[in-house]
Amino acid sequence: MKTTKPVNYLRSRRLRWGLSQGELAYLLGWPRPDVISRIEKKQRPPTLKLVIACFILFGAPAAELFPDISASIENAVMTRVWEMYEEIQGDPSRKTRAKIQLLEGAIARSEKRKNEPRS
């Protein structure tokens, strides 16, 4: 089975603003453009530093620039959210009520993202 590399839109954002890989590397805090090249070619995943720096520079959230990575992380987290949510039901303690509130908020936000139109 052939595996596909995750989709990312870093290159298209960079080109939209007329930046070279070297210029983008500089703006994001890397001394050499090879990091940008490897991320654009999907040879390496973006670091948290790069994702946050891209958000600051482009105003684009991680889910917009790196949708495949974001979706896989969301799926994994939401699986655990649902597992915990089911497990703690029926416990009347204050701590459990707080946890349920947190988990229900995560569920609501996830459902909202699923229902948002794709750009």
Side-chain angles (χ1 to χ4, degrees), residues 64-85:
E64 191 176 304
L65 281 173
F66 307 103
D68 289 356
I69 294 169
S70 181
S72 69
I73 292 169
E74 181 168 5
N75 289 338
V77 169
M78 292 312 299
T79 296
R80 293 187 296 272
V81 164
W82 277 108
E83 287 171 1
M84 181 180 278
Y85 185 75

Side-chain angles (χ1 to χ4, degrees), residues 91-104:
D91 181 345
S93 73
R94 187 173 359 146
K95 273 188 172 182
T96 299
R97 285 193 310 267
K99 290 175 192 175
I100 288 173
Q101 187 176 12
L102 170 69
L103 299 174
E104 287 176 344

Side-chain angles (χ1 to χ4, degrees), residues 31-97:
R32 298 186 350 244
D34 59 321
V35 172
I36 302 301
S37 175
R38 286 195 298 274
I39 292 169
E40 287 182 353
K41 291 178 182 175
K42 301 159 192 94
Q43 294 172 339
R44 97 179 243 185
T47 63
L48 178 60
K49 175 185 172 186
L50 182 122
V51 172
I52 293 171
C54 285
F55 174 72
I56 292 166
L57 180 61
F58 297 121
E64 191 176 304
L65 281 173
F66 307 103
D68 289 356
I69 294 169
S70 181
S72 69
I73 292 169
E74 181 168 5
N75 289 338
V77 169
M78 292 312 299
T79 296
R80 293 187 296 272
V81 164
W82 277 108
E83 287 171 1
M84 181 180 278
Y85 185 75
E86 295 298 322
E87 183 180 305
I88 64 175
Q89 291 298 312
D91 181 345
S93 73
R94 187 173 359 146
K95 273 188 172 182
T96 299
R97 285 193 310 267

